[in-house]
Amino acid sequence: MNKVLVIGGGGREHALCWRLKQSPSVSAIFCAPGNAGIAADATCLNLNGTDAVVDFCKSENIALVVIGPEQPLVDGLTDRLKLENIPVFGPSKAAAQLEASKGFMKDLCRKYSIPTAAYGFFSDKKEALAFLDSRNFQKIVVKADGLAAGKGVIIAESKKEAVLAVEDMFSGEFGSAGSQVVIEEFLEGREASFFAVCDGKKAVEFAFAQDHKRVYDGDKGPNTGGMGTYSPAPLVTDAIRKEVMEKIINPTMTAMEKEGCSFSGVLFAGLMLTKDGAKLLEYNVRFGDPETQSMMMRFDGDLFELLLSCANGKVDEKFISLSKQSAVCVVICAKGYPGTYEKGSVISGLKKAASLPGVKIFHAGTAEKDGNIISVGGRVLGVTALGHTIKEAQELAYKAVDLIEWPQGFCRRDIAWQAV
Ligand code: AMP
Ligand code: GLY
């Protein structure tokens, strides 16, 4: 029997812990730091720093570490665990550059002919502004090179806006993330999120999902980490799946190997499905949040064996199985998110909502205090439902949402509208 350690404490990690627990060969799950919901599926603990993680893995004889968020990957936690011979699911620091540097990703696409928006990559403000001058355009996209929690992308509707975005980035608006800037062509089309599990050489399709990035109904308001998802994505045909594997994912795996930073873990491609085919918007090097909540609801394979096979360099697709049913996840946030919000209010009705058949409530920013569940973050709950159709899943998810009593919270009421 095997013990697993999951790093992270959001809705994504709750969904991962919940599914890992159902693997027949898993005897115990630990999660650092976890949250009040994860505590039902795993032993939550604080591990401060890489040494603490390594010591814990050794003392508990951990069979697999699964790293949820990007930051520990970018900081090199995988590299350290590998040095200590601890099996780990997640890319090395060098491979995590695919997410940590948009310029790295774009230059790789150019070198290996992977379809993506035309672009320029600048570390000098004057050059970036000259590039803008040389273009005649309607819309253009300005991106901070580094990690900016989903906020470093500006879609400029005019040259004036583009110039302002470039100036803001170079003046430190996004900290060091904006010390280099990508400027790229605006792509028209529909977005989809694609996930592949990888072992360093080979990638295997995991699932498609669809996120809702804007905070308000009708895709209005500022961008967030994600307000809700559904899976599968009906707009993705078999032909598109094949195209994405052949033209984007497989060439990326080959490219990363050739560059000396082979990719292992989960490759999350943000795609734009354009009239000229699928194009890569961005790579993330980890599971999506809240895409994972919808995907894990559908997953009925053996998650532990799957992730371990990737960690061991031999991804085994027989462990992947996804229900033909559809899942919808509605994220409930603290009022004010993605701006400032209050913490500490009590959430009730969770048991009643979770008792609806086909509903699972994944916790993100929650904690337990005096026997109550309280909010401690921006994105707080991921109410997730499974149905025969997306419409059925959507109705069930909102039925559960309406049983939750939390006046200080809000959610979008239109998650999955495109698919219904
Ligand atoms: P990214 O973090 O690069 O995925 O960008 C965040 C969001 O900005 C994406 O989900 C898209 O909605 C939008 N976006 C990014 N790049 C482009 C582009 N080249 N054309 C159109 N929309 C884009
Ligand atoms: N939901 C988008 C992300 O995880 O980056």
Side-chain angles (χ1 to χ4, degrees), residues 262-314:
S262 43
F263 189 91
S264 128
V266 57
L267 195 52
F268 163 4
L271 302 169
M272 187 68 90
L273 307 176
T274 75
K275 64 177 183 4
D276 306 319
K279 295 195 178 180
L280 181 67
L281 287 179
E282 67 163 346
Y283 269 134
N284 296 306
V285 297
R286 42 149 183 103
F287 278 111
D289 189 341
E291 287 89 341
T292 305
Q293 290 84 316
S294 285
M295 295 193 301
M296 287 305 148
M297 205 66 185
R298 291 180 59 219
F299 185 83
D300 53 17
D302 189 324
L303 189 62
F304 170 74
E305 294 294 351
L306 176 66
L307 303 187
L308 185 67
S309 74
C310 294
N312 288 338
K314 222 171 170 8

Side-chain angles (χ1 to χ4, degrees), residues 4-59:
V4 183
L5 171 64
V6 175
I7 304 289
R12 164 183 50 211
E13 288 78 22
H14 191 181
L16 292 171
C17 286
W18 174 68
R19 265 305 173 219
L20 283 164
K21 192 181 167 188
Q22 291 160 35
S23 292
S25 47
V26 169
S27 58
I29 304 188
F30 299 91
C31 187
N35 62 41
I38 293 176
D41 294 306
T43 305
C44 298
L45 72 164
N46 283 315
L47 294 173
N48 291 321
T50 311
D51 288 340
V53 174
V54 169
D55 291 346
F56 179 78
C57 290
K58 288 187 171 164
S59 70

Side-chain angles (χ1 to χ4, degrees), residues 102 141 143 153 184-187 191 213 281-282:
K102 292 192 190 288
V141 186
K143 300 184 173 184
V153 174
E184 70 180 32
E185 162 201 18
F186 178 81
L187 298 174
E191 282 184 62
K213 290 207 160 104
L281 287 179
E282 67 163 346

Side-chain angles (χ1 to χ4, degrees), residues 166-176 178-179:
V166 165
E167 283 179 342
D168 279 354
M169 286 189 189
F170 280 110
S171 72
E173 172 102 339
F174 298 93
S176 60
S179 65

Side-chain angles (χ1 to χ4, degrees), residues 190 210 212 229-235 326-330 385 387-398 413-420:
R190 292 190 63 179
Q210 199 93 33
H212 299 65
T229 51
Y230 57 93
S231 176
L235 80 150
S326 298
V328 170
C329 169
V330 177
H388 293 287
T389 59
I390 290 200
K391 188 165 194 324
E392 205 182 286
Q394 184 199 45
E395 281 169 5
L396 184 57
Y398 281 111
R413 297 297 311 190
D414 67 345
I415 297 304
W417 65 271
Q418 302 102 317
V420 171

Side-chain angles (χ1 to χ4, degrees), residues 174-224:
F174 298 93
S176 60
S179 65
Q180 299 188 90
V181 166
V182 168
I183 302 177
E184 70 180 32
E185 162 201 18
F186 178 81
L187 298 174
E188 301 271 2
R190 292 190 63 179
E191 282 184 62
S193 302
F194 177 81
F195 295 82
V197 285
C198 315
D199 65 9
K201 288 186 183 309
K202 189 177 162 197
V204 174
E205 175 181 337
F206 186 79
F208 271 93
Q210 199 93 33
D211 193 8
H212 299 65
K213 290 207 160 104
R214 304 297 195 94
V215 69
Y216 303 128
D217 285 16
D219 293 327
K220 303 245 163 48
N223 267 334
T224 68

